[in-house]
Amino acid sequence: MYYRNNIEKFNGYRARARNETLEERQERIQKRRLEAPAKREHAKWRAHIRKTLGIEPQDYEKLFVEQKGKCAICGTDNPGGNRKRFCVDHCHDTDRIRGLLCVSCNSGLGYFKDNIDLLSDAATYLKGYKVS
């Protein structure tokens, strides 16, 4: 539908592509990448969450506001690592979004394979060695 409504735009793209060499095309693309890295990074993130998690950026922002910009488990306001955004935690069985987590908490759940019994056993283990 978009293509049909913007046929002139796409015809222009084709015409430009036919009239430039591979080197000219690569140079144009590299120039565009250098001019707007933040815009490209944000576009890649949007595509990633849509494709892998099936959510829109607005859904992420809604969760972020609901959680007051903090990890749902530990409450930190730092996503961790070199990340700018929190991880979107989801159930691997149902694909249901559970919340936003920092890298540490998300990795921890992953290492325990989202198994509540394992997590409970780990908590019991740690409590046995807690120094008062």
Side-chain angles (χ1 to χ4, degrees):
M1 189 67 155
Y2 181 80
Y3 173 78
R4 287 183 185 161
N5 293 338
N6 296 282
I7 192 75
E8 295 83 19
K9 181 179 180 180
F10 286 93
N11 286 339
Y13 292 155
R14 278 194 214 103
R16 183 176 66 195
R18 285 190 297 264
N19 293 328
E20 66 184 358
T21 66
L22 179 61
E23 291 80 18
E24 290 171 333
R25 180 176 182 272
Q26 288 173 335
E27 184 178 317
R28 177 177 53 81
I29 290 169
Q30 184 63 26
K31 181 181 175 190
R32 189 176 66 216
R33 283 183 181 155
L34 293 173
E35 288 173 353
K39 182 178 178 182
R40 289 182 47 77
E41 182 181 316
H42 189 69
K44 284 170 64 176
W45 172 75
R46 284 192 327 257
H48 167 74
I49 65 169
R50 283 181 180 140
K51 182 178 178 182
T52 59
L53 302 168
I55 68 170
E56 295 294 322
Q58 299 90 327
D59 300 326
Y60 177 93
E61 293 302 325
K62 182 180 174 192
L63 277 172
F64 187 81
V65 170
E66 286 173 2
Q67 292 180 204
K68 298 179 176 68
K70 298 179 187 266
C71 172
I73 294 177
C74 71
T76 184
D77 60 357
N78 181 358
N82 60 355
R83 291 180 171 258
K84 294 183 177 136
R85 296 178 186 89
F86 287 95
C87 303
V88 179
D89 179 43
H90 65 286
C91 175
H92 291 266
D93 294 330
T94 64
D95 288 332
R96 190 173 143 258
I97 304 297
R98 294 187 287 218
L100 303 178
L101 302 178
C102 68
V103 171
S104 297
C105 292
N106 190 53
S107 297
L109 287 182
Y111 289 135
F112 281 101
K113 301 173 182 72
D114 293 347
N115 185 318
I116 294 170
D117 294 331
L118 280 176
L119 285 164
S120 177
D121 292 346
T124 301
Y125 171 80
L126 287 175
K127 287 177 185 174
Y129 289 94
K130 185 168 179 143
V131 178
S132 297

